[in-house]
Amino acid sequence: MEGPTPVSALIHAATMVTAGVFLLIRCSPLLEYAPRVLVLTAIWGGITAFVSGTIGAAQNDIKKIIAYSTCSQLGYMVLACGLSLYSASLFHLLNHAFFKALLFLSAGSVIHVLSGEQDIRRMGGLAKLIPFIYICMLVASLALAGFPFLSGFYSKDFIIEAANTKF
């Protein structure tokens, strides 16, 4: 869905991710009585994480890249629910809301500075022009990537480690 960047920040950081994953977490007692559904949930979560991340890597629009990474992170959260790691899924959901909102708001600032330009191929050398936004985007990107000692490291790597142990 196209929209202004602050709206995208709210949709991707709060509403879109929270609704589906939170529903899975709230339905966890029912899911525990259906082990085959849990396996399917874990498989589809893993596929979603991989495919969305791959599609996002091939995009040129800054907002689409961030949106596809949201779908990829959603896959991690669904994978955690399929592995019965509901607390890890909720932890990653909360972490994701903060660093994704920071990414979208920083992207909005970059787009504003560049007079509406969203194509990353036409961006470069912005660290000197807007250093504070550069630092915000760098920290949020590192958290999203799971860089050690940032919030994404603890939530996402726990999910990956559990998936590796279980399968």
Side-chain angles (χ1 to χ4, degrees):
M1 172 181 10
E2 295 289 330
T5 308
V7 174
S8 296
L10 288 174
I11 290 171
H12 288 271
T15 311
M16 186 176 87
V17 174
T18 303
V21 174
F22 193 69
L23 182 64
L24 279 174
I25 293 169
R26 292 288 297 184
C27 291
S28 61
L30 293 174
L31 291 174
E32 289 302 315
Y33 285 111
R36 290 181 183 160
V37 172
L38 285 175
V39 171
L40 285 174
T41 304
I43 290 170
W44 280 112
I47 290 170
T48 301
F50 177 75
V51 170
S52 297
T54 305
I55 293 171
Q59 296 297 313
N60 295 320
D61 186 317
I62 189 169
K63 285 172 58 177
K64 286 184 181 178
I65 293 168
I66 299 172
Y68 275 111
S69 75
T70 297
C71 293
S72 178
Q73 298 303 308
L74 182 62
Y76 280 112
M77 293 175 223
V78 171
L79 171 64
C81 288
L83 298 174
S84 299
L85 300 171
Y86 304 105
S87 58
S89 181
L90 183 64
F91 182 49
H92 191 58
L93 182 134
L94 293 173
N95 286 334
H96 176 266
F98 286 104
F99 58 70
K100 190 58 63 142
L102 182 59
L103 270 174
F104 264 112
L105 293 175
S106 298
S109 296
V110 169
I111 292 167
H112 179 72
V113 166
L114 296 176
S115 302
E117 183 61 54
Q118 294 186 16
D119 193 344
I120 62 169
R121 295 173 294 185
R122 296 188 180 111
M123 298 177 187
L126 295 176
K128 293 178 184 175
L129 182 64
I130 44 175
F132 180 72
I133 297 170
Y134 172 77
I135 291 170
C136 289
M137 204 153 205
L138 179 66
V139 169
S141 298
L142 290 174
L144 176 67
F147 193 76
F149 306 114
L150 294 175
S151 63
F153 173 75
Y154 297 106
S155 61
K156 188 164 44 169
D157 280 2
F158 183 73
I159 295 168
I160 293 170
E161 180 183 341
N164 190 29
T165 314
K166 192 142 187 174
F167 291 112

